[in-house]
Amino acid sequence: MIEPKQTQPPMGKPRDYGFWVKLATRASVSVALTLVIVKLWAWISTDASSMLASATDSMLDTLASLFTFFSVRYALQPADHEHRFGHGKAESLAALVQSALITGSALLLLVHSAQQWWQGESVSKPTLGIYVSIFAIALTLALVVLQRVAVKHTESKAIAADHLHFQSDLLLNSAVIVALGLSAYGWYWADSLFAILIAIYLAYGAIRIGWEAFQGLMDRELPEPDKDKIVAVLKSTKGIHGWHDLRTRASGPMRFIQCHVELDDDLSLREAHDIADGAERELHELFPETDVIIHMDPLSVVPARRRTSSTSD
């Protein structure tokens, strides 16, 4: 059996990776905190449900950014004596907590907005809310650009997820401007309606994030396209007649691949090792951050019902 091996990033990458990840997460937390303060002030001044919805989303952004800030740092720690498979699942745990927080906040926002609609309360100072939303869009847009550069340099999945979340905030703040604009012309119901729609949108996103996090914690198999690439490597490796018990999973940035390969009975141990090692190198080229374990079986000990021929489609 080949010992698990983890590839190392190219020379110079760790410093660049750490720089961009830290810069992006610090900027994310700073922007989120700034928007929380400004939007809460605007909500108190305007009493607009849509502004409360936007402030609630910014508070969730702050929590999400803080979770990302700490979970990324913890997840990137190398495997140690007590965590031999690394710390990658910290990201999934953080996402699961985020999902619960977002769902609870969305429900509270839904109740508040429905109550305001029922009571027919009007929005005071809608123009102030519009100016605050424009400020939020400008600040968020700057953060999104920075995150995009960080993702380009690091390919960090956590930063990419945060990037997508803040992109959705651009749409949310635009919706707030529309809602407040309609309220300024006497369509008071628009504020509550948009807030309810935002609450539903937040709940939907939270459920989706929670489901993906749960699947990660339950060691779901890699996507089919990735598994097809693994099978293609096994098929193309000279000397491998078949394989079985292929298992895959992901934990944070790390992938894990395990399988049994079927080789000729009369190969020497060194020849068998070289064949399996060649397949392992090919897999590492496809998936750089991957832990691969390949077990070598003589063809004669593999039951026919378990074989997967390397020549099959």
Side-chain angles (χ1 to χ4, degrees), residues 10 14 20 36 85 88 115 129-130 158 175-176 200 215 238 250 259 285 293:
W20 285 108
V36 166
F85 292 97
Q115 182 181 15
I130 293 175
V176 172
I200 295 173
Q215 292 297 324
K238 186 177 181 181
C259 71
E285 289 181 5
I293 299 178

Side-chain angles (χ1 to χ4, degrees), residues 178-304:
V178 174
L180 293 176
L182 292 174
S183 297
Y185 286 95
W187 295 11
Y188 303 122
W189 54 267
D191 175 57
S192 299
L193 175 61
F194 272 75
I196 290 173
L197 294 176
I198 292 171
I200 295 173
Y201 168 78
L202 290 174
Y204 170 76
I207 293 172
R208 186 175 59 181
I209 291 172
W211 176 251
E212 288 299 317
F214 175 76
Q215 292 297 324
L217 292 171
M218 294 300 294
D219 292 333
R220 181 177 58 185
E221 288 280 315
L222 294 179
E224 287 300 321
D226 288 347
K227 293 180 69 176
D228 290 341
K229 293 178 182 179
I230 295 170
V231 170
V233 168
L234 297 176
K235 283 184 176 182
S236 64
T237 302
K238 186 177 181 181
I240 295 181
H241 297 287
W243 61 91
H244 57 273
D245 291 345
L246 174 60
R247 299 177 182 180
T248 64
R249 67 184 179 93
S251 178
M254 284 294 298
R255 296 180 181 87
F256 295 86
I257 301 172
Q258 301 178 13
C259 71
H260 291 230
V261 295
E262 301 153 14
L263 310 176
D264 289 326
D265 289 25
D266 56 355
L267 292 176
S268 67
L269 180 59
R270 181 55 183 266
E271 289 173 330
H273 172 271
D274 289 343
I275 292 173
D277 197 51
E280 183 182 355
R281 286 196 302 270
E282 290 288 334
L283 291 173
H284 279 305
E285 289 181 5
L286 282 176
F287 310 108
E289 295 185 14
T290 304
D291 189 324
V292 181
I293 299 178
I294 297 180
H295 180 82
M296 297 161 283
D297 286 333
L299 276 170
S300 61
V301 305
V302 182

Side-chain angles (χ1 to χ4, degrees), residues 17 41 255:
Y17 188 94
W41 168 70
R255 296 180 181 87

Side-chain angles (χ1 to χ4, degrees), residues 32-310:
L33 283 173
T34 301
L35 293 180
V36 166
I37 295 172
V38 173
K39 289 180 180 180
L40 283 177
W41 168 70
W43 169 60
I44 293 173
S45 301
T46 64
D47 196 30
S49 287
S50 57
M51 183 54 66
L52 175 60
S54 186
T56 300
D57 184 64
S58 293
M59 285 187 281
L60 296 174
D61 288 344
T62 303
L63 289 174
S65 297
L66 286 171
F67 275 119
T68 301
F69 182 87
F70 292 109
S71 64
V72 164
R73 283 159 176 74
Y74 186 75
L76 290 176
Q77 291 183 17
D80 54 36
H81 182 70
E82 294 183 346
H83 305 89
R84 302 302 294 271
F85 292 97
H87 304 80
K89 287 190 176 181
E91 291 188 22
S92 296
L93 284 171
L96 202 58
V97 173
Q98 291 178 41
S99 174
L101 291 172
I102 294 172
T103 301
S105 298
L107 291 176
L108 290 175
L109 177 61
L110 188 64
V111 172
H112 174 85
S113 303
Q115 182 181 15
Q116 187 185 50
W117 194 352
W118 178 262
Q119 294 175 350
E121 298 176 0
S122 61
V123 177
S124 61
K125 301 180 181 178
T127 304
L128 174 62
I130 293 175
Y131 287 149
V132 168
S133 297
I134 293 174
F135 169 76
I137 289 175
L139 197 59
T140 303
L141 185 61
L143 175 62
V144 166
V145 172
L146 173 62
Q147 289 176 326
R148 181 170 297 177
V149 175
V151 170
K152 181 179 179 180
H153 282 81
T154 65
E155 298 183 358
S156 169
K157 293 180 180 179
I159 302 300
D162 213 28
H163 172 68
L164 289 175
H165 185 75
F166 276 98
Q167 277 186 315
S168 68
D169 285 355
L170 295 174
L171 177 62
L172 185 148
N173 285 294
S174 299
V176 172
I177 292 176
V178 174
L180 293 176
L182 292 174
S183 297
Y185 286 95
W187 295 11
Y188 303 122
W189 54 267
D191 175 57
S192 299
L193 175 61
F194 272 75
I196 290 173
L197 294 176
I198 292 171
I200 295 173
Y201 168 78
L202 290 174
Y204 170 76
I207 293 172
R208 186 175 59 181
I209 291 172
W211 176 251
E212 288 299 317
F214 175 76
Q215 292 297 324
L217 292 171
M218 294 300 294
D219 292 333
R220 181 177 58 185
E221 288 280 315
L222 294 179
E224 287 300 321
D226 288 347
K227 293 180 69 176
D228 290 341
K229 293 178 182 179
I230 295 170
V231 170
V233 168
L234 297 176
K235 283 184 176 182
S236 64
T237 302
K238 186 177 181 181
I240 295 181
H241 297 287
W243 61 91
H244 57 273
D245 291 345
L246 174 60
R247 299 177 182 180
T248 64
R249 67 184 179 93
S251 178
M254 284 294 298
R255 296 180 181 87
F256 295 86
I257 301 172
Q258 301 178 13
C259 71
H260 291 230
V261 295
E262 301 153 14
L263 310 176
D264 289 326
D265 289 25
D266 56 355
L267 292 176
S268 67
L269 180 59
R270 181 55 183 266
E271 289 173 330
H273 172 271
D274 289 343
I275 292 173
D277 197 51
E280 183 182 355
R281 286 196 302 270
E282 290 288 334
L283 291 173
H284 279 305
E285 289 181 5
L286 282 176
F287 310 108
E289 295 185 14
T290 304
D291 189 324
V292 181
I293 299 178
I294 297 180
H295 180 82
M296 297 161 283
D297 286 333
L299 276 170
S300 61
V301 305
V302 182
R305 60 183 174 81
R306 300 185 66 185
R307 294 180 183 173
T308 305
S309 172
S310 62

